[in-house]
Amino acid sequence: MGIKKIFILSTLLLMCNSLLYAQNTIDSLDIKIGQMILVGLDARTSITPADPLAADIRNGKVGGVLIFEKNIAKAYGKRELTNMIDVLQEQAPSPLLITIDEEGGKVHRLKKKYGFVKMPSAQELGRINNTDSTYYYYKRLAAEMATVGINLNFAPVVDVAVNPNNPVIVRVKRSFSKNPNVVTRHAIACIDAHHYFGVKTILKHYPGHGSSMGDSHKGLVDVTNSWTYKETEPYRQIIRSGKCDAIMTAHIVNRNWNSDGLPATLSKDVITDSIRGSLGFDGVVISDDMNMHAISENYGYNEAIKMAINAGVDVLMFGNNVNTSQGFMTPAKIHGIIRDYVEKGEIPMWRINQSYERILKLKQF
């Protein structure tokens, strides 16, 4: 074979290898981005492989789903929820995060009328102030979650009840106590109960929503003049205990933390400098719902997604449960926005890799 032919064949082989490498890189990026997306199920109480959401899951554009009470069938609720979760997991190339907001009290999705257990509020458990009781109630709840296939709970709330008139946490009994040490003890009892059944938990809402006068579902909430450092104490203690699986951010503004007035979810000062730096937590940080008006009505989805990821958020949650002028978001839309920013260099690839590694560790059930 002549030198010229060898050169041509070598060039063709090199080109083929380059194309394969490029394809693998593209696939890898798509998978990594998909793991960062957590979405609500809209009004579904069941799902089939023909469903567009099932297709998005199969295509690696979804890393997790969020269950609300509306996703539990009125008849045979426990059985139907189990079946739906089974179908969702069957579509996934790697295990999905199956999540729920299940705190007890007002935020109680798995109600007795659907075949689950009654669950007191955090405030009631804090007033009893017996961690054995707290452990008992959350252990019953965690057993139910594990039975149907839920593997991650958006609880416990570790907001400190600083403001008795706080409309979104304190007045609706979602805080254990105004004492951060009491909050910590009961939160750890809650976490231990979940871990007994292999269900992981999320501390919320960092850096503390218990002093606010507003509700970030409805708009921007500024806690600059009401927030106190004791609101981070439960996070500090639980992280130090080694029992913190993940942290959820709050869409609150605190100009003592970041003079630019950004909500915590979009702030590098809060996520990278405070959670990663001051608290030393290197696990998964999950956004509160990006549909909430504090984000969707003030920043728009595209810009908010870029800002959140660059600030250090690992998983973006779109519950599609809050009406917004921005409309609901499909996994394919969210995925496309993130990928476009990565390709343009506006979200660095190392941030995607960083989040992907953290998410994989969280998924080691």
Side-chain angles (χ1 to χ4, degrees):
M1 184 181 293
I3 293 175
K4 188 175 180 180
K5 287 184 179 179
I6 292 173
F7 174 77
I8 292 170
L9 287 172
S10 299
T11 302
L12 288 171
L13 184 60
L14 183 62
M15 287 172 64
C16 288
N17 287 337
S18 296
L19 287 170
L20 285 170
Y21 176 79
Q23 185 61 48
N24 287 337
T25 303
I26 290 168
D27 290 342
S28 178
L29 175 59
D30 282 340
I31 290 166
K32 290 173 182 178
I33 291 172
Q35 289 298 302
M36 299 173 69
I37 298 170
L38 190 152
V39 294
L41 298 173
D42 298 325
R44 294 173 177 86
T45 56
S46 63
I47 193 166
T48 69
D51 191 295
L53 176 60
D56 280 335
I57 291 170
R58 285 194 300 274
N59 293 332
K61 289 185 167 61
V62 180
V65 297
L66 175 61
I67 293 162
F68 290 99
E69 184 176 346
K70 65 184 178 181
N71 303 124
I72 303 172
K74 288 182 172 58
Y76 307 107
K78 185 183 290 189
R79 187 186 71 187
E80 293 304 308
L81 182 59
T82 304
N83 290 341
M84 180 165 65
I85 290 171
D86 285 346
V87 174
L88 288 165
Q89 289 288 24
E90 286 166 5
Q91 309 309 305
S94 62
L96 291 169
L97 293 175
I98 307 292
T99 74
I100 193 167
D101 251 338
E102 185 49 84
E103 304 168 13
K106 179 172 181 169
V107 185
H108 184 37
R109 322 294 187 186
L110 303 177
K111 291 182 171 64
K112 193 172 181 180
K113 64 183 180 181
Y114 303 122
F116 296 97
V117 295
K118 189 176 179 181
M119 184 69 196
S121 70
Q123 185 185 91
E124 291 172 84
L125 293 171
R127 281 178 179 164
I128 295 169
N129 202 14
N130 182 321
T131 52
D132 287 343
S133 293
T134 299
Y135 180 79
Y136 164 78
Y137 279 110
Y138 278 113
K139 192 174 178 183
R140 290 199 316 164
L141 186 62
E144 298 278 19
M145 286 189 274
T147 298
V148 299
I150 295 166
N151 52 35
L152 180 64
N153 188 12
F154 281 87
V157 169
V158 294
D159 294 316
V160 180
V162 174
N163 174 14
N165 294 315
N166 170 275
V168 70
I169 302 294
V170 184
R171 279 169 53 187
V172 289
K173 304 180 180 181
R174 296 173 68 194
S175 172
F176 288 112
S177 175
K178 64 182 180 181
N179 183 326
N181 293 322
V182 173
V183 171
T184 299
R185 289 199 300 273
H186 288 276
I188 287 176
C190 168
I191 292 166
D192 286 344
H194 282 75
H195 285 179
Y196 183 88
F197 288 102
V199 179
K200 296 196 175 179
T201 63
I202 301 171
L203 307 185
K204 62 185 187 185
H205 309 79
Y206 193 85
H209 218 311
S211 62
S212 73
M213 284 299 296
D215 182 348
S216 51
H217 289 84
K218 300 174 181 178
L220 279 174
V221 174
D222 194 321
V223 299
T224 302
N225 298 319
S226 59
W227 185 89
T228 65
Y229 274 99
K230 73 177 183 180
E231 296 184 58
T232 64
E233 191 56 30
Y235 294 94
R236 194 177 308 278
Q237 293 182 31
I238 296 167
I239 289 167
R240 198 175 294 151
S241 76
K243 296 181 178 183
C244 181
D245 297 318
I247 291 174
M248 175 195 272
T249 60
H251 301 326
I252 56 174
V253 173
N254 185 342
R255 296 179 191 279
N256 296 312
W257 288 67
N258 50 316
S259 58
D260 53 15
L262 291 174
T265 302
L266 310 182
S267 172
K268 184 176 179 292
D269 292 339
V270 174
I271 299 169
T272 299
D273 297 346
S274 177
I275 295 177
R276 307 295 185 201
S278 298
L279 298 183
F281 180 66
D282 193 40
V284 168
V285 171
I286 300 179
S287 77
D288 205 341
D289 194 342
M290 300 292 282
N291 295 125
M292 289 162 64
H293 290 188
I295 299 297
S296 62
E297 300 299 312
N298 288 281
Y299 297 92
Y301 290 138
N302 289 44
E303 189 66 15
I305 287 170
K306 179 176 72 171
M307 293 172 74
I309 294 173
N310 284 336
V313 170
D314 300 304
V315 174
L316 296 164
M317 190 239 290
F318 285 84
N320 289 333
N321 197 47
V322 177
N323 289 325
T324 167
S325 64
Q326 300 295 309
F328 287 168
M329 292 288 281
T330 65
K333 279 185 185 176
I334 304 163
H335 194 284
I337 290 168
I338 299 171
R339 186 181 175 86
D340 185 55
Y341 279 130
V342 174
E343 289 176 345
K344 291 191 295 189
E346 294 183 43
I347 294 176
M349 188 64 204
W350 64 263
R351 268 297 300 119
I352 304 297
N353 289 333
Q354 195 178 54
S355 292
Y356 182 64
E357 289 170 10
R358 289 177 183 140
I359 294 162
L360 291 186
K361 286 180 184 176
L362 180 64
K363 286 188 170 186
Q364 291 174 3
F365 296 105

